[in-house]
């Protein structure tokens, strides 16, 4: 339930259009619903503006589907499950035929409510190998109502590829930079723009990259101002933070 739905419910009670018992049943699932194997946070959309997002790893397809169904009953926004394998989705869609699957992002989504795009988030990836993390960020940001401009394969090994898209960086309100190997792209971008840069280190790289630790440390030690860093491979976290930033002063968005 979001803030608009709650206001409509209370207004209906005030006008006598909705009886008390029905209102109680509507509110009974707040703030959470215990399914035995998990407690579904129906209150999150009211608190944060977007429904609870399901982390798919470690959950069975039946558990993911059950949570999505409960969220669908109570929430108005898009419902997401991240880190879901194709094999798991094949089971989920039997229960939820309307569920969409974004294979590169490994995201299952139930689309519902008005699909409005606001603002502009530029999403950069250093290389093609970083695309699964980049697409997790892209699909998450779009599901949350943001316009996403994808700028892929613009790593520092060929810096001219990045500079060719300079005007797109200038138009964005927030920039997400996804990079593995040494993770230098975030610092380069941070030195070019006057807007927040959210850096996402990926686990892509040879042995000394230590599954993303090298890129993480490079980004954390960036000399460029305005660069913040999320955890290794956390495209979802970067997109969520970018969406929150993008929602500030929406009238000024590109």
């Amino acid at each position: 339930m979001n803030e608009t739905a709650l206001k409509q419910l209370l207004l209906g009670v005030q006008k006598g259009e909705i009886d008390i018992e029905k209102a109680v049943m509507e509110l009974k699932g707040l703030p959470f619903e215990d399914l035995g194997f998990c407690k579904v946070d129906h209150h999150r959309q009211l608190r944060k503006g977007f429904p609870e997002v399901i982390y798919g790893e470690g959950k069975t397809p039946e558990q993911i589907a059950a949570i999505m169904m409960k969220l669908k009953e109570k929430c108005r926004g898009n419902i997401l499950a991240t880190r879901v394998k194709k094999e798991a989705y094949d089971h989920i869609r039997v229960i939820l035929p309307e569920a969409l699957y974004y294979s590169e992002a490994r995201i299952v989504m139930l689309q519902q409510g008005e699909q409005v795009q606001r603002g502009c988030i530029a999403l950069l990836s250093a290389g093609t190998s970083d695309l699964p993390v980049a697409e997790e960020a892209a699909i998450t940001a779009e599901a949350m109502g943001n316009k996403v401009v994808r700028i892929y394969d613009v790593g520092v090994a060929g810096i001219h590829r990045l500079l060719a898209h300079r005007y797109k960086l200038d138009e964005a309100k927030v920039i997400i930079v996804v990079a593995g190997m040494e993770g230098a792209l975030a610092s380069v971008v941070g030195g070019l723009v006057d807007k927040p840069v959210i850096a996402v280190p990926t686990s892509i790289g040879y042995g000394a990259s230590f599954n993303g630790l090298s890129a993480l440390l490079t980004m954390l030690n960036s000399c460029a101002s305005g660069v913040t860093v999320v955890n290794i491979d956390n495209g979802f976290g970067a997109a969520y933070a970018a969406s929150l930033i993008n929602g500030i002063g929406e009238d000024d968005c590109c």
Side-chain angles (χ1 to χ4, degrees):
M1 178 176 289
N2 58 18
E3 186 174 344
T4 300
L6 180 58
K7 287 179 178 178
Q8 289 175 346
L9 177 64
L10 295 176
L11 187 61
V13 173
Q14 183 184 51
K15 292 181 176 180
E17 298 171 352
I18 300 175
D19 62 50
I20 297 296
E21 290 302 319
K22 183 177 180 181
V24 169
M25 290 301 296
E26 287 287 327
L27 297 172
K28 194 173 182 179
L30 297 177
F32 66 88
E33 184 175 0
D34 193 340
L35 300 186
F37 63 88
C38 73
K39 295 175 176 61
V40 183
D41 186 1
H42 294 307
H43 199 262
R44 193 168 305 187
Q45 187 174 17
L46 190 59
R47 296 195 318 269
K48 305 229 352 138
F50 195 77
E52 179 178 10
V53 175
I54 305 157
Y55 183 67
E57 284 190 14
K59 294 182 177 69
T60 67
E62 292 76 18
Q63 288 173 336
I64 295 171
I67 298 170
M68 296 189 86
M69 290 172 67
K70 289 298 181 181
L71 287 170
K72 181 183 177 183
E73 291 174 7
K74 301 288 184 179
C75 300
R76 298 285 182 94
N78 294 323
I79 309 299
L80 296 181
T82 65
R83 301 300 171 94
V84 179
K85 295 180 180 179
K86 176 62 165 57
E87 296 80 4
Y89 167 67
D90 289 339
H91 290 282
I92 292 169
R93 67 177 179 179
V94 174
I95 305 169
L96 288 168
E98 69 271 35
L100 303 175
Y101 187 61
Y102 299 87
S103 57
E104 196 151 38
R106 295 169 293 172
I107 286 177
V108 177
M109 175 161 43
L110 291 178
Q111 286 188 342
Q112 54 182 14
E114 187 179 0
Q115 307 301 308
V116 178
Q117 285 192 334
R118 68 184 181 204
C120 182
I121 296 174
L123 178 57
L124 283 65
S125 77
T128 304
S129 297
D130 300 310
L131 288 188
V133 177
E135 276 301 299
E136 180 181 77
I139 298 301
T140 298
E142 288 173 341
M144 296 184 72
N146 302 278
K147 176 185 176 183
V148 176
V149 175
R150 292 165 171 82
I151 307 171
Y152 288 168
D153 197 24
V154 290
V156 297
I159 200 67
H160 54 289
R161 297 175 298 176
L162 171 66
L163 298 178
H165 296 281
R166 179 63 191 272
Y167 70 97
K168 294 181 182 178
L169 303 183
D170 292 336
E171 291 176 352
K173 186 173 182 181
V174 191
I175 298 172
I176 299 173
V177 178
V178 181
M181 298 289 189
E182 83 296 335
L185 182 61
S187 290
V188 173
V189 173
L192 293 175
V193 300
D194 61 349
K195 52 212 63 182
V197 175
I198 302 174
V200 188
T202 74
S203 53
I204 298 300
Y206 293 107
S209 68
F210 297 107
N211 294 317
L213 182 59
S214 178
L216 173 65
L217 293 176
T218 297
M219 292 171 173
L220 287 172
N221 285 288
S222 175
C223 63
S225 303
V227 176
T228 57
V229 187
V230 298
N231 208 344
I232 297 169
D233 291 338
N234 190 9
F236 164 76
Y240 206 110
S243 182
L244 292 176
I245 295 170
N246 200 28
I248 299 172
E250 292 185 7
D251 292 341
D252 298 326
C253 292
C254 62

